[in-house]
Amino acid sequence: MRGFRSGSGILADLNPMTAFSMTQPESSTERRSEEVPLPGPNVLRGWLRDMMLIREFEVRSMQAYQNRLAGGFLHVYNGQEAVAVGSIATLRPDDPIITAYRNHGHALARGMAPRVGMAELFGRIGGCAKGKGGSMHFFDAEHHMYGGHGIVGSQVPLGAGLAFATKYRDEVMDGGQSNHVTLCFMGDGATNQGAVHEAMNLASVLDLPVIFIVENNFYSMGTAIKRGTAAGGCLTDRACGYDMDATVIEGMDVLDVYRGMKPLVDHCRTSSRPSFVEMRCYRFKGHSMSDPRKYRTHEEEEQWEMRDPIELLAAHLVDQDQLTGEAFKQFGKEIREEIREAVKWAEASPPTPMDELYRDVYTDKWGLYTGTSVPEFLKRRSSDREDDNA
Amino acid sequence: MRELAFRDALREAMSEEMRRDERVFLIGEEVAQYNGAYKVSKGMLEEFGARRVIDTPVSESGFAGLSIGAAMMGLRPIVEFMSWSFSLVAADPILNNAAKMLYMSGGQFGCPIVFRGNDGAGGQLGSTHSWCVESLYANVPGLKIIIPSTPYTAKGLLTQAIRDDNPVFCLENERMLALTGEVPEESYTLPIGKAELIRSGNDCTIVSFGRPLYFCLEAAEELAREGIECEIIDGRSITPLDIDTIAASVCRTNYCVVVDQSWSFASVGSEVAAEVHRVCFDDLDNYVYRVHSDDVPAPYAKGLEQEMLPNARKICEAVRSVTYNA
């Protein structure tokens, strides 16, 4: 299967007002056919919880930002939860992922403890990068989450490199066959960065097991896709140029995301070929906290909010008798409590001490620099697990 | 001891490390089938195969970033830039990602990687291909920069760089690749951050980095005929800078000239001068003189290019001027 050509009708969906109701493109329909079995109800309820957890984390991080507990830039993931949760659900735990600066959702979906993420926002020693990365730079070695990258598109060559490394280890060092998959996320704006195109070409030429996932939320900051991206209604065309399979997936429905991604991930694992996915989704909030969203209409926002990924999955589960209204409410209660605890924990975590200023610049000691160490949450890895299981 | 060309010494360092450590691989433009644009990697494809000696398309930003991603996962890439001039289009990955990954991830993801290639003018390549990147990149915390000047230092420093857990930039020079010198056959390392005394003299210290060492030696001979005995120090590394070795010499000679092939403003030379002023303030009999490339884009015409470089004539003039009151 190859990407779609311009003029196939998808161009009409350049307009975010209509894109969400688009009929599924042919090949995508194939991919999400009922042949792809869904996991059992426990797992689906787990996804619902994960998405609710991300949403609540973001709600509380916005509050914290307004209360000046968090500084810098804050880019929240509300609305796009299904993309991270549904696609990461198709991976093995040791498959690497990497993403851009709107990265809280990916980290949480990968298993980062919310308190560790929250402490990072607060600039505390307990944070996932000891308070030295901030909102845009979440890292989690334990969960194979390679960041959180602030420069648009910068993570995409790195993602190709992660895939290169897994393949190199599997084949050259272990003498076997490539059997890992890297998911490399980016926004639609990144598709206009040169580094992204270089990375896609390299991935194709070097047969790298990486899936480039464009989270197309139709706006690159405040620039609508039609204003900044030629043939923006057909981003998959860009992958065609690099001889890789390309698929459009409806990114608001986690079941669609999973069904679309599962065959791609499985194929990537065995074929060691890159592919490209356009996930059509919408960010419910602004680009960052300072964004008044004047470049789009209320009506458009409301239409997309009707496709809230949490509501969609909850409705599906209720419809299938796999969730009661009571249980849904209970989830909400538990998650609010969990995030409240995370905020409390983060507030109690000490501000990153001054000696950290000079640590991790180099691995070795030299002059002012004091060598490296790892964040607390990794040091306490085993006790964390016990907590999580409790 | 056997003699080896600079390019062969570099290759020996890479090959020995690749034999020793499976995580090490070589990647870059024309490094494999073409045997390297400057034949530094000649024969390596044959020995190590296409999985470890990897030709890339002309995508510096792409393959630099790719290699950094691989290094984050614990591999130890050697990335060849055909010229450091071309590294400018890879500024984001090499300065933002390689240099800062360890810090931004709170110590979780390091970047044990070597970027190497030709730096500096001297082959009539015109301005875009004649960059001296040392002063640009020395400004960035998180990087180490080595600048070997002989086949011996090339092998020892590059071996150490490949074993280093931090990103190391190795600045070579196309004009020196054919230069021969004694190189031990066995594997050895030279410490990064340690300068070396090349020539002893009591009258003036000359500190040099990379290729200008040869201009300094030429100048020292001429000055010796005039009765000025220069002490020459080869910096070998730019970051970390071995100010101790430099200062020990300057405190003895009381005069210092710094020779740096990059441009003068906010440069390696100005940094060394500032450090010497700070450390040797009471021992200096004059302020520190600096010799750089002239502040112009590198010209094509041979005569102009030679005049632009920190050549022996300029070094002689600087030494005579700085020691006028001796």
Side-chain angles (χ1 to χ4, degrees):
Chain A
M1 186 196 66
R2 294 285 176 243
F4 314 103
R5 297 279 162 210
S6 306
S8 62
I10 296 184
L11 271 177
D13 298 315
L14 248 187
N15 180 358
M17 282 286 284
T18 54
F20 69 89
S21 60
M22 70 184 185
T23 50
Q24 288 293 327
E26 235 173 86
S27 316
S28 183
T29 311
E30 269 168 41
R31 293 284 189 192
R32 64 179 285 266
S33 69
E34 302 302 320
E35 285 162 33
V36 179
L38 287 173
N42 272 338
V43 174
L44 299 191
R45 283 192 292 265
W47 294 352
L48 180 64
R49 260 186 138 275
D50 288 348
M51 293 197 292
M52 292 167 77
L53 186 84
I54 295 170
R55 180 72 56 87
E56 183 66 12
F57 182 93
E58 297 296 47
V59 168
R60 293 304 300 261
S61 64
M62 286 188 286
Q63 275 177 18
Y65 190 85
Q66 276 147 358
N67 295 335
R68 295 174 188 267
L69 268 164
F73 290 150
L74 182 69
H75 312 88
V76 294
Y77 200 55
N78 307 37
Q80 297 178 218
E81 294 92 342
V83 176
V85 170
S87 53
I88 287 169
T90 64
L91 293 181
R92 287 198 320 227
D94 62 341
D95 288 327
I97 69 157
I98 190 165
T99 186
Y101 49 82
R102 197 178 304 284
N103 62 164
H104 307 167
H106 305 82
L108 294 172
R110 205 67 170 106
M112 181 187 285
R115 59 172 182 262
V116 169
M118 199 59 82
E120 187 61 29
L121 298 185
F122 294 3
R124 307 299 170 96
I125 186 66
C128 60
K130 301 193 283 191
K132 299 204 280 195
S135 164
M136 298 190 283
H137 310 112
F138 275 23
F139 290 86
D140 187 344
E142 184 188 4
H143 294 105
H144 302 268
M145 152 68 172
Y146 285 80
H149 296 272
I151 304 289
V152 174
S154 187
Q155 80 281 12
V156 181
L158 301 181
L162 297 175
F164 176 92
T166 62
K167 185 181 169 107
Y168 187 96
R169 286 200 312 208
D170 290 341
E171 294 183 352
V172 177
M173 295 170 71
D174 297 340
Q177 287 216 319
S178 176
N179 69 352
H180 287 79
V181 176
T182 297
L183 295 189
C184 179
F185 295 88
M186 71 192 95
D188 47 291
T191 64
N192 296 321
Q193 277 282 33
V196 171
H197 291 263
E198 293 187 18
M200 290 204 290
N201 183 52
L202 277 161
S204 189
V205 169
L206 299 176
D207 288 321
L208 301 181
V210 56
I211 302 179
F212 299 107
I213 300 177
V214 177
E215 301 190 46
N216 179 8
N217 60 26
F218 298 94
Y219 294 91
S220 168
M221 199 165 160
T223 303
I225 190 162
K226 64 182 172 202
R227 290 175 56 218
T229 304
C234 205
L235 291 176
T236 45
D237 262 5
R238 299 183 172 213
C240 277
Y242 302 112
D243 190 28
M244 62 175 89
D245 287 355
T247 310
V248 179
I249 295 175
E250 210 277 275
M252 301 303 274
D253 184 339
V254 72
L255 302 181
D256 281 338
V257 173
Y258 179 83
R259 286 202 187 104
M261 285 299 297
K262 187 72 171 71
L264 298 179
V265 168
D266 293 347
H267 183 252
C268 181
R269 198 179 300 286
T270 51
S271 69
S272 187
R273 282 290 300 164
S275 63
F276 179 98
V277 176
E278 177 191 351
M279 295 267 190
R280 299 201 162 179
C281 54
Y282 202 75
R283 64 168 147 73
F284 289 168
K285 301 292 174 184
H287 164 74
S288 67
M289 292 298 283
S290 60
D291 174 4
R293 314 203 295 280
K294 291 211 169 126
Y295 46 82
R296 62 189 204 191
T297 62
H298 263 301
E299 195 194 353
E300 179 187 306
E301 291 180 353
E302 277 164 12
Q303 271 190 291
W304 279 92
E305 279 160 12
M306 282 158 50
R307 301 273 296 158
D308 186 317
I310 294 172
E311 302 293 333
L312 282 183
L313 179 58
H316 169 86
L317 290 172
V318 168
D319 190 51
Q320 301 285 307
D321 290 327
Q322 291 169 347
L323 182 76
T324 61
E326 198 50 41
F328 186 42
K329 267 190 206 152
Q330 185 60 24
F331 278 0
K333 225 174 116 186
E334 285 166 14
I335 283 163
R336 279 192 298 280
E337 183 54 30
E338 185 177 350
I339 300 295
R340 213 178 356 254
E341 283 301 313
V343 172
K344 259 167 66 185
W345 187 89
E347 280 188 284
S349 177
T352 305
M354 284 309 149
D355 65 337
E356 279 295 332
L357 182 58
Y358 305 107
R359 193 165 291 149
D360 307 322
V361 182
Y362 297 89
T363 56
D364 40 2
K365 293 183 182 182
W366 160 43
L368 271 180
Y369 310 117
T370 54
T372 189
S373 62
V374 291
E376 277 298 310
F377 83 98
L378 287 182
K379 286 188 216 154
R380 295 183 302 103
R381 194 181 286 192
S382 48
S383 60
D384 263 15
R385 282 220 192 89
E386 281 158 26
D387 289 353
D388 291 344
N389 292 339
Chain B
M1 200 188 290
R2 64 154 183 178
E3 296 241 322
L4 213 56
F6 200 106
R7 59 162 59 82
D8 300 326
L10 291 169
R11 176 170 58 251
E12 205 164 86
M14 293 193 290
S15 295
E16 282 172 4
E17 288 310 292
M18 283 179 67
R19 280 175 213 130
R20 189 181 156 266
D21 186 345
E22 262 192 328
R23 298 170 301 174
V24 181
F25 66 92
L26 175 66
I27 187 168
E29 292 153 1
E30 310 292 358
V31 296
Q33 288 197 9
Y34 197 88
N35 279 316
Y38 294 95
K39 304 294 173 239
V40 172
S41 56
K42 191 175 173 191
M44 288 180 70
L45 173 63
E46 211 170 302
E47 178 176 354
F48 298 103
R51 283 173 170 172
R52 298 185 69 197
V53 181
I54 300 150
D55 276 330
T56 68
V58 184
S59 307
E60 281 84 4
S61 182
F63 69 74
L66 182 149
S67 303
I68 293 161
M72 285 173 78
M73 211 176 254
L75 300 188
R76 304 181 83 89
I78 306 168
V79 183
E80 179 174 304
F81 286 128
M82 202 181 291
S83 161
W84 274 100
S85 297
F86 308 157
S87 75
L88 299 181
V89 293
D92 175 55
I94 67 174
L95 303 183
N96 256 332
N97 295 330
K100 300 171 184 172
M101 198 61 73
L102 185 71
Y103 196 81
M104 288 214 314
S105 66
Q108 293 180 72
F109 297 110
C111 196
I113 192 168
V114 174
F115 293 98
R116 44 159 294 273
N118 289 315
D119 175 69
Q124 282 193 273
L125 300 177
S127 184
T128 58
H129 283 53
S130 301
W131 269 88
C132 297
V133 297
E134 47 265 54
S135 296
L136 289 183
Y137 294 160
N139 198 238
V140 181
L143 304 173
K144 295 183 180 182
I145 302 178
I146 56 174
I147 184 159
S149 56
T150 63
Y152 172 73
T153 50
K155 181 175 168 184
L157 285 173
L158 182 55
T159 301
Q160 182 60 40
I162 296 166
R163 294 182 191 179
D164 201 289
D165 288 331
N166 299 283
V168 181
F169 290 5
C170 177
L171 310 185
E172 301 149 15
N173 190 300
E174 184 250 329
R175 298 278 90 187
M176 294 198 300
L177 291 176
L179 195 91
T180 57
E182 292 189 340
V183 178
E185 283 184 47
E186 69 275 11
S187 179
Y188 63 93
T189 60
L190 293 173
I192 296 176
K194 193 84 191 71
E196 183 70 9
L197 184 72
I198 299 291
R199 183 188 195 277
S200 294
N202 290 325
D203 300 328
C204 179
T205 301
I206 306 178
V207 185
S208 163
F209 296 89
R211 184 186 172 218
L213 175 67
Y214 298 97
F215 307 145
C216 296
L217 288 166
E218 199 184 323
E221 267 181 45
E222 187 177 331
L223 291 163
R225 287 194 287 273
E226 299 169 21
I228 306 175
E229 289 298 338
C230 293
E231 183 142 305
I232 299 177
I233 292 172
D234 179 12
R236 289 189 181 177
S237 312
I238 289 170
T239 48
L241 180 69
D242 181 8
I243 192 65
D244 293 355
T245 299
I246 296 167
S249 170
V250 174
C251 289
R252 232 169 22 76
T253 64
N254 311 116
Y255 293 98
C256 183
V257 171
V258 184
V259 183
D260 166 19
Q261 62 184 344
S262 57
W263 296 277
S264 67
F265 194 92
S267 61
V268 173
S270 61
E271 176 64 23
V272 173
E275 281 297 283
V276 170
H277 284 130
R278 179 177 69 84
V279 179
C280 311
F281 190 75
D282 291 333
D283 294 290
L284 284 169
D285 286 343
N286 200 343
Y287 65 86
V288 177
Y289 274 54
R290 294 192 275 139
V291 181
H292 289 275
S293 287
D294 292 340
D295 287 327
V296 297
Y300 162 73
K302 193 167 187 173
L304 296 184
E305 187 183 54
Q306 292 306 312
E307 178 54 25
M308 181 199 92
L309 293 171
N311 51 40
R313 179 185 58 74
K314 291 185 196 170
I315 297 166
C316 285
E317 283 168 9
V319 171
R320 288 185 200 113
S321 302
V322 74
T323 57
Y324 86 99
N325 59 352

